[in-house]
Amino acid sequence: MDGDLLAVAAQASPAVPKTSARPTKKELAPLIAALPQKEKDALLLRLALGPEPRLRTELLHRLRGTTAPATVTGHRSAAQLLDAAHTRRAGRRQRVEHERAAAGAQRLTALASEAESAWQLIEAHIATKKTNACEQAVTLLAELRDAYAHTGRSTDFRQRLINLREDYQRRPGLIHRLDRRGLR
């Protein structure tokens, strides 16, 4: 079941009344006896003519002196419900994407503020000469590139990357990984 469609359809529905204890015969008898004869006759006639889904609810509310919940007056077509569900879904996706972008920006800002320790970690990974460690270094470099770009310091990153490539130019595996990730 489409949750958005269900939620949109339920928006026009009346609120579910608070469930109260089922009335007892002892409670109802005097209330029914107090009803005017014309009203009793009308209720019995409606009951005899066939099932009315809301007749019991209406009678109980009448006896208790409360008003029955209003029925929904406006009906919406299936197309209107589907359009509303689509709008709701699109709004939710937009909010999620906005939250994801904000979290990403926050992560990039945090990484940029700790750039120096990230560069040291990259150097340490490369120094191990292990394939997995080099992959981690390249991944961290790509994230660091994005963090520098996010904070408007792309030229600083580019200069450090040029220096790193020069220092490790005799490591073809590392240079290939850098090229493959667009770290040139």
Side-chain angles (χ1 to χ4, degrees):
M1 175 58 84
D2 184 344
D4 291 317
L5 185 58
L6 188 59
V8 166
Q11 284 175 344
S13 299
V16 176
K18 294 179 182 173
T19 55
S20 59
R22 191 176 182 96
T24 64
K25 195 185 252 187
K26 189 176 182 180
E27 293 170 332
L28 290 177
L31 295 173
I32 291 173
L35 282 175
Q37 188 63 41
K38 267 185 151 179
E39 195 170 346
K40 286 183 201 177
D41 291 345
L43 286 166
L44 283 171
L45 180 61
R46 286 174 60 193
L47 181 63
L49 287 174
E52 279 189 47
R54 299 184 51 81
L55 183 59
R56 179 178 184 278
T57 303
E58 185 182 323
L59 175 59
L60 289 175
H61 281 282
R62 166 67 178 91
L63 293 173
R64 290 179 179 150
T66 61
T67 57
T71 58
V72 179
T73 55
H75 292 10
R76 294 179 287 174
S77 69
Q80 290 170 322
L81 287 172
L82 289 171
D83 285 347
H86 174 74
T87 301
R88 178 184 168 96
R89 189 176 306 110
R92 187 182 65 252
R93 285 181 183 150
Q94 189 176 18
R95 280 189 307 279
V96 166
E97 186 57 37
H98 177 72
E99 289 168 4
R100 186 179 295 134
Q106 188 175 10
R107 184 182 54 80
L108 290 174
T109 302
L111 180 58
S113 70
E114 298 178 9
E116 212 41 57
S117 60
W119 282 108
Q120 291 171 3
L121 184 58
I122 290 165
E123 291 279 348
H125 282 316
I126 293 172
T128 66
K129 298 183 181 182
K130 294 181 181 177
T131 304
N132 191 30
C134 279
E135 279 295 331
Q136 290 175 343
V138 171
T139 299
L140 185 53
L141 271 167
E143 291 175 7
L144 201 53
R145 172 195 55 203
D146 296 343
Y148 271 78
H150 177 70
T151 57
R153 297 174 33 214
S154 294
T155 53
D156 295 343
F157 174 80
R158 191 144 198 45
Q159 187 57 51
R160 294 227 24 200
L161 180 63
I162 289 169
N163 293 342
L164 183 118
R165 288 178 70 98
E166 286 174 3
D167 291 346
Y168 295 101
Q169 63 185 336
R170 293 197 175 145
R171 301 268 307 270
L174 174 63
I175 298 300
H176 175 72
R177 284 181 181 85
L178 292 172
D179 290 343
R180 195 174 60 214
R181 292 293 289 266
L183 296 164
R184 296 180 181 172

